[in-house]
Amino acid sequence: MSETSRTEVDDASFIERSRHDPEAFAEVFRRYAPDITRYVTRRLGDDAAEDVVAETFLAAFRQRNGYDLSRQNARPWLYGIATNLTRRHLRAEVRQLRLLERTGVDPVTAPFTERSDERLSAEASRRSLAGALASLPKGHRDALLLVAWGGLSYLETSEALGVRLGTVQSRINRARKRLRKELGETNPMLTVSEESFCE
């Protein structure tokens, strides 16, 4: 593969190039800012999301010299930074989940959806789910939401959180069991990723 075509497809090439040409980092931002914005908005709401996303990419830019260039995909790295910054806003996240529990309104999809009977039914599920998510331990919630809302694989989630793959699997398994119990034996992964929080 030529250097030009490699540069067009892998994040590590842009990060490496940005070490001497800072403007090259804009491609990493372009690729991932919309997804990270949706992820952080769902966790913290509109008010805090913009700041956290900006902080995420600023931190990534500042840390780019230490980026492991053998990791061609920067997605887990960026989600890890965003998750760590989200932890600073833990009260805002729990407040956002409690608001969702009360209103059923997802800050990501609310402006873009119409009301219907199905939508109203989904709102009821969202409310129950939001309350259950708010009650999860932070590490369990982080792992579950990186997979469900961030779309990361378990391996990418372990990279993002800096924990072993087995730890991620255990946290998600425990989170699922707890959510299933609180949601009346409904499959929580269907509720988290499909019924309640997908666009």
Side-chain angles (χ1 to χ4, degrees), residues 151-189:
L152 272 63
S153 68
Y154 282 27
L155 184 59
E156 289 173 324
T157 299
S158 75
E159 288 178 40
L161 296 177
V163 298
R164 293 180 312 170
L165 178 59
T167 301
V168 168
Q169 293 167 329
S170 174
R171 287 178 181 177
I172 291 176
N173 185 44
R174 288 181 181 155
R176 282 180 175 164
K177 284 181 181 176
R178 185 165 170 178
L179 290 178
R180 187 175 287 126
K181 182 178 179 185
E182 291 190 32
L183 297 174
E185 300 305 316
T186 301
N187 181 343
M189 291 308 282

Side-chain angles (χ1 to χ4, degrees), residues 94-176:
V94 171
R95 200 168 40 248
Q96 179 67 23
L97 288 168
R98 295 294 182 206
L99 177 66
L100 180 57
E101 179 182 23
R102 282 192 311 276
T103 67
V105 178
D106 181 340
V108 172
T109 61
F112 307 105
T113 58
E114 292 183 12
R115 297 258 176 198
S116 69
D117 289 342
E118 287 179 13
R119 182 61 57 192
L120 291 172
S121 176
E123 268 187 27
S125 296
R126 274 191 209 118
R127 291 176 182 183
S128 298
L129 175 64
L133 285 171
S135 70
L136 286 175
K138 179 175 50 91
H140 293 84
R141 186 169 54 238
D142 287 344
L144 182 69
L145 296 182
L146 279 168
V147 170
W149 289 351
L152 272 63
S153 68
Y154 282 27
L155 184 59
E156 289 173 324
T157 299
S158 75
E159 288 178 40
L161 296 177
V163 298
R164 293 180 312 170
L165 178 59
T167 301
V168 168
Q169 293 167 329
S170 174
R171 287 178 181 177
I172 291 176
N173 185 44
R174 288 181 181 155
R176 282 180 175 164

Side-chain angles (χ1 to χ4, degrees), residues 3-164:
E3 186 60 32
T4 303
S5 60
R6 179 176 179 259
T7 300
E8 291 173 356
V9 296
D10 99 30
D11 302 332
S13 297
F14 285 104
I15 293 169
E16 181 177 29
R17 201 168 84 209
S18 76
R19 292 174 178 175
H20 56 272
D21 176 14
E23 290 182 17
F25 199 81
E27 177 61 19
V28 176
F29 178 85
R30 185 194 65 73
R31 288 178 178 191
Y32 297 106
D35 292 338
I36 292 196
T37 299
R38 281 189 292 276
Y39 169 72
V40 175
T41 300
R42 283 187 167 140
R43 293 198 67 173
L44 301 177
D46 288 326
D47 293 341
E50 189 175 318
D51 290 340
V52 170
V53 171
E55 290 173 36
T56 296
F57 284 95
L58 180 60
F61 182 77
R62 288 179 176 157
Q63 296 170 24
R64 72 191 188 283
N65 288 331
Y67 182 78
D68 178 357
L69 296 173
S70 69
R71 295 179 183 219
Q72 295 181 354
N73 183 343
R75 191 170 109 140
W77 176 60
L78 293 168
Y79 273 94
I81 293 170
T83 299
N84 286 335
L85 291 170
T86 298
R87 287 179 186 149
R88 294 184 190 167
H89 298 269
L90 184 59
R91 279 187 285 231
E93 178 180 29
V94 171
R95 200 168 40 248
Q96 179 67 23
L97 288 168
R98 295 294 182 206
L99 177 66
L100 180 57
E101 179 182 23
R102 282 192 311 276
T103 67
V105 178
D106 181 340
V108 172
T109 61
F112 307 105
T113 58
E114 292 183 12
R115 297 258 176 198
S116 69
D117 289 342
E118 287 179 13
R119 182 61 57 192
L120 291 172
S121 176
E123 268 187 27
S125 296
R126 274 191 209 118
R127 291 176 182 183
S128 298
L129 175 64
L133 285 171
S135 70
L136 286 175
K138 179 175 50 91
H140 293 84
R141 186 169 54 238
D142 287 344
L144 182 69
L145 296 182
L146 279 168
V147 170
W149 289 351
L152 272 63
S153 68
Y154 282 27
L155 184 59
E156 289 173 324
T157 299
S158 75
E159 288 178 40
L161 296 177
V163 298
R164 293 180 312 170

